Amino acid sequence: GAVVSQHPSWVICKSGTSVKIECRSLDFQATTMFWYRQFPKQSLMLMATSNEGSKATYEQGVEKDKFLINHASLTLSTLTVTSAHPEDSSFYICSARQDSNQPQHFGDGTRLSIL
Amino acid sequence: QKEVEQDPGPLSVPEGAIVSLNCTYSNSAFQYFMWYRQYSRKGPELLMYTYSSGNKEDGRFTAQVDKSSKYISLFIRDSQPSDSATYLCAMRSGNNRLAFGKGNQVVVIP
């Protein structure tokens, strides 16, 4: 099946640090990529949607200056959590879709812990 | 009323039993229906993807979509301990975002 690779899988860093998470579609070209946040025992919460070469569309309540998204190519999207604080600690999951007739495939997530 | 309703469980079954999961939804525009399996501390893994109404079978998994009743199901035959996970239903219309169920935790007891 389709593979989406997400890196790193786990990050621990100090408050105030910026953290970059990479998401790659390995065997298909992803016209659309998605970033989610998931709290323990809860479903996925969509943060933003990005189309290759375009600015990301953020969901209500998600700060675009805090969570910078770059979808530079059809196989790579990055999420940068800027000046991270303990409340940003969470499980971040990316997802990619080839086109609107295809399903979304998810990466394995990044566990972010801010001390 | 939430867009997608899914009983979060948990659901415990003995090994070899049939696992039956379902979701109901309110948006009649939904066309694409998915089931994902999520293990602890991992991302969701696509199990089944169907368009519009009908049945789809893949190995031990069967997905059913009944658009007239706004009801989708996932059946897992001959369940194994490795099937213990959270199962998420998801659906969308056109190019819109996915709407997820809350997820149903399944435990298969050896």
Side-chain angles (χ1 to χ4, degrees):
Chain A
V3 178
V4 174
S5 173
Q6 189 172 340
H7 177 81
S9 58
W10 198 359
V11 179
I12 302 175
C13 57
K14 293 180 180 179
S15 186
T17 307
S18 290
V19 178
K20 181 186 279 190
I21 303 170
E22 285 191 355
C23 180
R24 294 179 185 273
S25 56
L26 297 185
D27 54 356
F28 65 97
Q29 293 190 320
T31 56
T32 309
M33 285 186 164
F34 308 83
W35 288 94
Y36 292 84
R37 189 170 176 175
Q38 187 177 34
F39 293 101
K41 299 193 183 297
Q42 294 191 23
S43 194
L44 290 83
M45 183 183 77
L46 180 64
M47 298 174 66
T49 302
S50 73
N51 292 296
E52 185 264 341
S54 303
K55 286 186 178 180
T57 302
Y58 289 81
E59 295 299 304
Q60 192 171 12
V62 178
E63 298 175 57
K64 62 180 181 181
D65 295 328
K66 174 75 170 175
F67 300 99
L68 300 178
I69 292 171
N70 187 338
H71 191 163
S73 76
L74 284 171
T75 58
L76 173 65
S77 177
T78 60
L79 167 68
T80 301
V81 183
T82 61
S83 187
H85 289 95
E87 59 267 28
D88 299 321
S89 298
S90 192
F91 192 49
Y92 293 88
I93 310 174
C94 74
S95 179
R97 189 178 73 195
Q98 184 173 4
D99 58 54
S100 61
N101 292 318
Q102 300 300 319
Q104 281 178 229
H105 297 277
F106 289 83
D108 260 347
T110 297
R111 188 162 304 279
L112 178 61
S113 297
I114 308 298
L115 305 177
Chain B
Q1 183 186 9
K2 283 189 61 111
E3 265 194 315
V4 181
E5 298 278 0
Q6 182 178 12
D7 185 349
L11 177 64
S12 293
V13 299
E15 183 175 355
I18 295 175
V19 175
S20 175
L21 305 169
N22 59 75
C23 291
T24 58
Y25 62 94
S26 57
N27 187 345
S28 58
F30 285 145
Q31 304 165 286
Y32 302 92
F33 303 91
M34 286 138 276
W35 284 96
Y36 291 90
R37 176 175 65 195
Q38 186 174 21
Y39 292 113
S40 181
R41 298 174 182 262
K42 293 286 188 180
E45 173 192 3
L46 180 68
L47 288 177
M48 302 293 279
Y49 175 57
T50 51
Y51 173 74
S52 195
S53 281
N55 295 354
K56 186 173 183 178
E57 190 172 315
D58 185 0
R60 295 185 296 114
F61 299 94
T62 300
Q64 293 182 348
V65 175
D66 182 347
K67 288 192 71 179
S68 62
S69 302
K70 298 191 184 69
Y71 186 91
I72 69 170
S73 301
L74 177 71
F75 300 96
I76 308 172
R77 290 182 298 281
D78 188 25
S79 57
Q80 304 295 311
S82 59
D83 294 327
S84 299
T86 297
Y87 291 80
L88 296 159
C89 64
M91 52 200 77
R92 64 177 167 90
S93 59
N95 202 26
N96 294 317
R97 73 185 69 175
L98 277 182
F100 287 94
K102 279 190 171 183
N104 197 323
Q105 186 181 357
V106 173
V107 178
V108 180
I109 302 166

Short mmCIF file of all heavy atoms in Angstrom, two decimals, chain A residues 37-83:
data_model
loop_
_atom_site.label_atom_id
_atom_site.label_comp_id
_atom_site.label_asym_id
_atom_site.label_seq_id
_atom_site.Cartn_x
_atom_site.Cartn_y
_atom_site.Cartn_z
N ARG A 37 -3.38 16.93 14.72
CA ARG A 37 -2.89 16.84 16.09
C ARG A 37 -3.84 15.87 16.80
O ARG A 37 -5.05 15.88 16.56
CB ARG A 37 -2.95 18.22 16.73
CG ARG A 37 -2.30 18.33 18.07
CD ARG A 37 -2.22 19.80 18.46
NE ARG A 37 -1.68 19.94 19.80
CZ ARG A 37 -1.39 21.10 20.38
NH1 ARG A 37 -1.61 22.23 19.73
NH2 ARG A 37 -0.91 21.13 21.60
N GLN A 38 -3.26 15.02 17.64
CA GLN A 38 -4.10 14.05 18.34
C GLN A 38 -3.74 14.02 19.81
O GLN A 38 -2.59 13.78 20.17
CB GLN A 38 -3.95 12.64 17.73
CG GLN A 38 -4.93 11.62 18.29
CD GLN A 38 -4.81 10.27 17.62
OE1 GLN A 38 -3.74 9.85 17.21
NE2 GLN A 38 -5.94 9.57 17.47
N PHE A 39 -4.73 14.23 20.66
CA PHE A 39 -4.54 14.12 22.10
C PHE A 39 -4.91 12.70 22.53
O PHE A 39 -5.66 12.01 21.84
CB PHE A 39 -5.38 15.16 22.82
CG PHE A 39 -4.92 16.57 22.57
CD1 PHE A 39 -5.59 17.38 21.67
CD2 PHE A 39 -3.79 17.07 23.20
CE1 PHE A 39 -5.15 18.68 21.42
CE2 PHE A 39 -3.34 18.35 22.95
CZ PHE A 39 -4.02 19.15 22.07
N PRO A 40 -4.37 12.25 23.68
CA PRO A 40 -4.60 10.87 24.12
C PRO A 40 -6.08 10.49 24.13
O PRO A 40 -6.92 11.24 24.61
CB PRO A 40 -4.00 10.84 25.53
CG PRO A 40 -2.96 11.90 25.50
CD PRO A 40 -3.50 12.99 24.60
N LYS A 41 -6.36 9.34 23.55
CA LYS A 41 -7.70 8.76 23.51
C LYS A 41 -8.72 9.66 22.81
O LYS A 41 -9.92 9.54 23.06
CB LYS A 41 -8.18 8.41 24.92
CG LYS A 41 -7.30 7.38 25.62
CD LYS A 41 -7.96 6.82 26.84
CE LYS A 41 -7.04 5.85 27.58
NZ LYS A 41 -6.70 4.68 26.77
N GLN A 42 -8.25 10.52 21.94
CA GLN A 42 -9.16 11.36 21.18
C GLN A 42 -8.91 11.15 19.69
O GLN A 42 -7.88 10.61 19.29
CB GLN A 42 -8.98 12.82 21.54
CG GLN A 42 -9.39 13.14 22.96
CD GLN A 42 -9.46 14.62 23.22
OE1 GLN A 42 -9.62 15.42 22.30
NE2 GLN A 42 -9.35 15.01 24.47
N SER A 43 -9.87 11.60 18.89
CA SER A 43 -9.71 11.46 17.46
C SER A 43 -8.77 12.55 16.92
O SER A 43 -8.31 13.40 17.66
CB SER A 43 -11.07 11.54 16.77
OG SER A 43 -10.96 11.10 15.44
N LEU A 44 -8.50 12.47 15.64
CA LEU A 44 -7.57 13.41 15.03
C LEU A 44 -8.23 14.77 14.82
O LEU A 44 -9.37 14.86 14.40
CB LEU A 44 -7.09 12.88 13.68
CG LEU A 44 -6.17 11.67 13.73
CD1 LEU A 44 -6.95 10.39 13.85
CD2 LEU A 44 -5.29 11.64 12.49
N MET A 45 -7.46 15.82 15.08
CA MET A 45 -7.95 17.17 14.89
C MET A 45 -7.16 17.81 13.75
O MET A 45 -5.94 17.95 13.84
CB MET A 45 -7.78 17.98 16.16
CG MET A 45 -8.32 19.39 16.09
SD MET A 45 -8.00 20.32 17.60
CE MET A 45 -6.26 20.71 17.40
N LEU A 46 -7.84 18.17 12.68
CA LEU A 46 -7.17 18.76 11.53
C LEU A 46 -6.64 20.15 11.89
O LEU A 46 -7.37 20.98 12.44
CB LEU A 46 -8.14 18.86 10.35
CG LEU A 46 -7.59 19.45 9.06
CD1 LEU A 46 -6.49 18.57 8.48
CD2 LEU A 46 -8.71 19.65 8.04
N MET A 47 -5.37 20.36 11.59
CA MET A 47 -4.76 21.67 11.84
C MET A 47 -4.74 22.51 10.56
O MET A 47 -5.06 23.70 10.58
CB MET A 47 -3.33 21.51 12.33
CG MET A 47 -3.20 20.77 13.64
SD MET A 47 -1.49 20.47 14.05
CE MET A 47 -0.89 22.14 14.32
N ALA A 48 -4.33 21.89 9.47
CA ALA A 48 -4.19 22.64 8.22
C ALA A 48 -4.14 21.70 7.03
O ALA A 48 -3.81 20.52 7.16
CB ALA A 48 -2.93 23.50 8.26
N THR A 49 -4.48 22.26 5.88
CA THR A 49 -4.44 21.54 4.61
C THR A 49 -3.53 22.31 3.67
O THR A 49 -3.62 23.55 3.59
CB THR A 49 -5.85 21.47 4.00
OG1 THR A 49 -6.73 20.82 4.91
CG2 THR A 49 -5.84 20.72 2.67
N SER A 50 -2.66 21.60 2.97
CA SER A 50 -1.80 22.31 2.03
C SER A 50 -1.78 21.63 0.68
O SER A 50 -1.76 20.41 0.59
CB SER A 50 -0.38 22.44 2.59
OG SER A 50 0.30 21.20 2.55
N ASN A 51 -1.81 22.42 -0.35
CA ASN A 51 -1.64 21.95 -1.72
C ASN A 51 -0.27 22.38 -2.21
O ASN A 51 0.19 23.48 -1.87
CB ASN A 51 -2.74 22.52 -2.62
CG ASN A 51 -4.09 21.94 -2.28
OD1 ASN A 51 -4.32 20.75 -2.41
ND2 ASN A 51 -4.99 22.79 -1.83
N GLU A 52 0.36 21.52 -2.97
CA GLU A 52 1.72 21.78 -3.44
C GLU A 52 1.82 23.13 -4.12
O GLU A 52 1.02 23.45 -5.01
CB GLU A 52 2.15 20.65 -4.38
CG GLU A 52 3.60 20.73 -4.83
CD GLU A 52 3.74 21.41 -6.18
OE1 GLU A 52 2.75 21.47 -6.92
OE2 GLU A 52 4.86 21.86 -6.50
N GLY A 53 2.78 23.92 -3.66
CA GLY A 53 3.03 25.22 -4.26
C GLY A 53 2.12 26.33 -3.78
O GLY A 53 2.28 27.48 -4.20
N SER A 54 1.16 26.02 -2.91
CA SER A 54 0.24 27.03 -2.41
C SER A 54 0.39 27.21 -0.91
O SER A 54 0.96 26.34 -0.24
CB SER A 54 -1.22 26.63 -2.70
OG SER A 54 -1.42 26.41 -4.07
N LYS A 55 -0.14 28.31 -0.42
CA LYS A 55 -0.13 28.51 1.03
C LYS A 55 -1.12 27.56 1.68
O LYS A 55 -2.16 27.23 1.11
CB LYS A 55 -0.54 29.95 1.35
CG LYS A 55 0.53 30.98 1.05
CD LYS A 55 0.10 32.36 1.54
CE LYS A 55 1.19 33.37 1.26
NZ LYS A 55 0.80 34.73 1.72
N ALA A 56 -0.78 27.17 2.89
CA ALA A 56 -1.65 26.24 3.62
C ALA A 56 -2.92 26.95 4.09
O ALA A 56 -2.92 28.16 4.34
CB ALA A 56 -0.90 25.67 4.82
N THR A 57 -3.98 26.18 4.19
CA THR A 57 -5.24 26.67 4.75
C THR A 57 -5.36 26.13 6.16
O THR A 57 -5.39 24.92 6.36
CB THR A 57 -6.44 26.18 3.91
OG1 THR A 57 -6.28 26.63 2.57
CG2 THR A 57 -7.74 26.71 4.49
N TYR A 58 -5.43 27.05 7.13
CA TYR A 58 -5.44 26.65 8.52
C TYR A 58 -6.86 26.57 9.06
O TYR A 58 -7.73 27.36 8.67
CB TYR A 58 -4.64 27.66 9.36
CG TYR A 58 -3.15 27.58 9.11
CD1 TYR A 58 -2.57 28.21 8.01
CD2 TYR A 58 -2.32 26.88 9.97
CE1 TYR A 58 -1.21 28.12 7.76
CE2 TYR A 58 -0.95 26.80 9.75
CZ TYR A 58 -0.41 27.42 8.64
OH TYR A 58 0.94 27.33 8.42
N GLU A 59 -7.06 25.64 9.97
CA GLU A 59 -8.36 25.53 10.62
C GLU A 59 -8.52 26.64 11.65
O GLU A 59 -7.53 27.21 12.15
CB GLU A 59 -8.51 24.16 11.28
CG GLU A 59 -8.51 23.02 10.29
CD GLU A 59 -9.66 23.10 9.31
OE1 GLU A 59 -10.84 23.16 9.77
OE2 GLU A 59 -9.41 23.11 8.09
N GLN A 60 -9.76 26.92 11.97
CA GLN A 60 -10.04 27.97 12.95
C GLN A 60 -9.37 27.64 14.28
O GLN A 60 -9.44 26.50 14.76
CB GLN A 60 -11.55 28.08 13.15
CG GLN A 60 -11.99 29.30 13.90
CD GLN A 60 -13.50 29.47 13.89
OE1 GLN A 60 -14.24 28.56 13.52
NE2 GLN A 60 -13.96 30.63 14.29
N GLY A 61 -8.70 28.62 14.83
CA GLY A 61 -8.05 28.44 16.12
C GLY A 61 -6.61 27.98 16.03
O GLY A 61 -5.93 27.92 17.06
N VAL A 62 -6.14 27.65 14.85
CA VAL A 62 -4.74 27.23 14.67
C VAL A 62 -3.94 28.42 14.19
O VAL A 62 -4.25 29.02 13.17
CB VAL A 62 -4.65 26.07 13.65
CG1 VAL A 62 -3.19 25.68 13.45
CG2 VAL A 62 -5.48 24.89 14.10
N GLU A 63 -2.89 28.77 14.95
CA GLU A 63 -2.10 29.96 14.63
C GLU A 63 -1.12 29.65 13.51
O GLU A 63 -0.20 28.84 13.66
CB GLU A 63 -1.31 30.40 15.86
CG GLU A 63 -2.16 30.79 17.06
CD GLU A 63 -1.26 31.10 18.25
OE1 GLU A 63 -0.39 31.98 18.13
OE2 GLU A 63 -1.42 30.45 19.30
N LYS A 64 -1.26 30.33 12.40
CA LYS A 64 -0.40 30.05 11.25
C LYS A 64 1.03 30.49 11.48
O LYS A 64 1.96 29.93 10.89
CB LYS A 64 -0.96 30.70 9.98
CG LYS A 64 -1.05 32.20 10.03
CD LYS A 64 -1.62 32.74 8.72
CE LYS A 64 -1.68 34.25 8.76
NZ LYS A 64 -2.25 34.83 7.52
N ASP A 65 1.25 31.49 12.35
CA ASP A 65 2.61 31.92 12.64
C ASP A 65 3.29 30.99 13.64
O ASP A 65 4.52 31.00 13.78
CB ASP A 65 2.61 33.35 13.19
CG ASP A 65 2.11 34.34 12.15
OD1 ASP A 65 2.36 34.10 10.95
OD2 ASP A 65 1.49 35.34 12.54
N LYS A 66 2.50 30.23 14.32
CA LYS A 66 3.02 29.27 15.30
C LYS A 66 3.36 27.95 14.62
O LYS A 66 4.35 27.32 14.92
CB LYS A 66 1.93 29.03 16.36
CG LYS A 66 2.23 27.97 17.38
CD LYS A 66 3.23 28.47 18.37
CE LYS A 66 3.36 27.52 19.52
NZ LYS A 66 4.43 27.97 20.44
N PHE A 67 2.50 27.54 13.71
CA PHE A 67 2.65 26.27 13.01
C PHE A 67 2.86 26.57 11.52
O PHE A 67 1.91 26.72 10.76
CB PHE A 67 1.42 25.39 13.22
CG PHE A 67 1.15 25.05 14.66
CD1 PHE A 67 0.20 25.75 15.39
CD2 PHE A 67 1.86 24.02 15.28
CE1 PHE A 67 -0.04 25.42 16.73
CE2 PHE A 67 1.62 23.70 16.62
CZ PHE A 67 0.67 24.40 17.34
N LEU A 68 4.14 26.63 11.14
CA LEU A 68 4.47 26.99 9.76
C LEU A 68 4.48 25.74 8.90
O LEU A 68 5.16 24.77 9.21
CB LEU A 68 5.85 27.65 9.72
CG LEU A 68 6.00 28.95 10.51
CD1 LEU A 68 7.44 29.46 10.41
CD2 LEU A 68 5.04 30.00 10.02
N ILE A 69 3.75 25.78 7.80
CA ILE A 69 3.66 24.63 6.90
C ILE A 69 4.20 25.02 5.54
O ILE A 69 3.84 26.05 4.98
CB ILE A 69 2.21 24.14 6.79
CG1 ILE A 69 1.77 23.55 8.13
CG2 ILE A 69 2.04 23.13 5.66
CD1 ILE A 69 0.31 23.23 8.22
N ASN A 70 5.05 24.14 5.02
CA ASN A 70 5.64 24.33 3.71
C ASN A 70 5.42 23.06 2.89
O ASN A 70 5.86 21.99 3.29
CB ASN A 70 7.14 24.63 3.84
CG ASN A 70 7.75 25.00 2.51
OD1 ASN A 70 7.24 24.66 1.44
ND2 ASN A 70 8.86 25.71 2.55
N HIS A 71 4.74 23.19 1.77
CA HIS A 71 4.50 22.03 0.90
C HIS A 71 5.27 22.31 -0.40
O HIS A 71 4.69 22.71 -1.41
CB HIS A 71 3.00 21.90 0.64
CG HIS A 71 2.60 20.62 -0.03
ND1 HIS A 71 1.30 20.18 -0.04
CD2 HIS A 71 3.31 19.69 -0.69
CE1 HIS A 71 1.23 19.03 -0.70
NE2 HIS A 71 2.43 18.73 -1.10
N ALA A 72 6.57 22.11 -0.32
CA ALA A 72 7.47 22.59 -1.37
C ALA A 72 7.45 21.73 -2.63
O ALA A 72 7.77 22.21 -3.72
CB ALA A 72 8.89 22.67 -0.83
N SER A 73 7.10 20.46 -2.48
CA SER A 73 7.10 19.58 -3.64
C SER A 73 5.94 18.60 -3.51
O SER A 73 5.24 18.58 -2.49
CB SER A 73 8.41 18.82 -3.74
OG SER A 73 8.45 17.77 -2.78
N LEU A 74 5.74 17.79 -4.53
CA LEU A 74 4.64 16.82 -4.52
C LEU A 74 4.89 15.64 -3.61
O LEU A 74 4.04 14.76 -3.48
CB LEU A 74 4.35 16.33 -5.95
CG LEU A 74 3.60 17.33 -6.84
CD1 LEU A 74 3.57 16.84 -8.28
CD2 LEU A 74 2.18 17.55 -6.33
N THR A 75 6.08 15.61 -3.00
CA THR A 75 6.36 14.49 -2.11
C THR A 75 6.80 14.92 -0.72
O THR A 75 7.10 14.07 0.13
CB THR A 75 7.47 13.58 -2.70
OG1 THR A 75 8.64 14.37 -2.91
CG2 THR A 75 7.02 12.94 -4.01
N LEU A 76 6.84 16.20 -0.45
CA LEU A 76 7.37 16.67 0.83
C LEU A 76 6.56 17.84 1.38
O LEU A 76 6.31 18.83 0.70
CB LEU A 76 8.83 17.08 0.68
CG LEU A 76 9.48 17.75 1.91
CD1 LEU A 76 9.57 16.76 3.07
CD2 LEU A 76 10.87 18.26 1.55
N SER A 77 6.18 17.71 2.64
CA SER A 77 5.60 18.82 3.39
C SER A 77 6.29 18.88 4.75
O SER A 77 6.66 17.83 5.30
CB SER A 77 4.09 18.64 3.57
OG SER A 77 3.55 19.69 4.36
N THR A 78 6.47 20.08 5.26
CA THR A 78 7.08 20.22 6.58
C THR A 78 6.18 21.07 7.47
O THR A 78 5.51 22.00 7.01
CB THR A 78 8.47 20.87 6.52
OG1 THR A 78 8.37 22.17 5.94
CG2 THR A 78 9.44 20.02 5.71
N LEU A 79 6.19 20.72 8.74
CA LEU A 79 5.50 21.49 9.77
C LEU A 79 6.55 21.95 10.76
O LEU A 79 7.30 21.12 11.30
CB LEU A 79 4.46 20.62 10.50
CG LEU A 79 3.87 21.20 11.79
CD1 LEU A 79 3.01 22.42 11.51
CD2 LEU A 79 3.05 20.13 12.52
N THR A 80 6.66 23.25 10.97
CA THR A 80 7.58 23.80 11.95
C THR A 80 6.78 24.41 13.09
O THR A 80 5.97 25.31 12.86
CB THR A 80 8.50 24.86 11.32
OG1 THR A 80 9.24 24.26 10.24
CG2 THR A 80 9.48 25.39 12.35
N VAL A 81 7.01 23.87 14.27
CA VAL A 81 6.40 24.44 15.47
C VAL A 81 7.38 25.48 16.00
O VAL A 81 8.48 25.13 16.46
CB VAL A 81 6.12 23.36 16.53
CG1 VAL A 81 5.40 23.96 17.73
CG2 VAL A 81 5.30 22.23 15.93
N THR A 82 7.04 26.74 15.90
CA THR A 82 7.98 27.79 16.28
C THR A 82 7.85 28.14 17.76
O THR A 82 6.74 28.15 18.32
CB THR A 82 7.72 29.06 15.44
OG1 THR A 82 6.38 29.52 15.70
CG2 THR A 82 7.87 28.77 13.95
N SER A 83 9.00 28.38 18.37
CA SER A 83 9.04 28.76 19.79
C SER A 83 8.08 27.88 20.60
O SER A 83 7.12 28.38 21.22
CB SER A 83 8.69 30.24 19.94
OG SER A 83 8.88 30.67 21.28
#
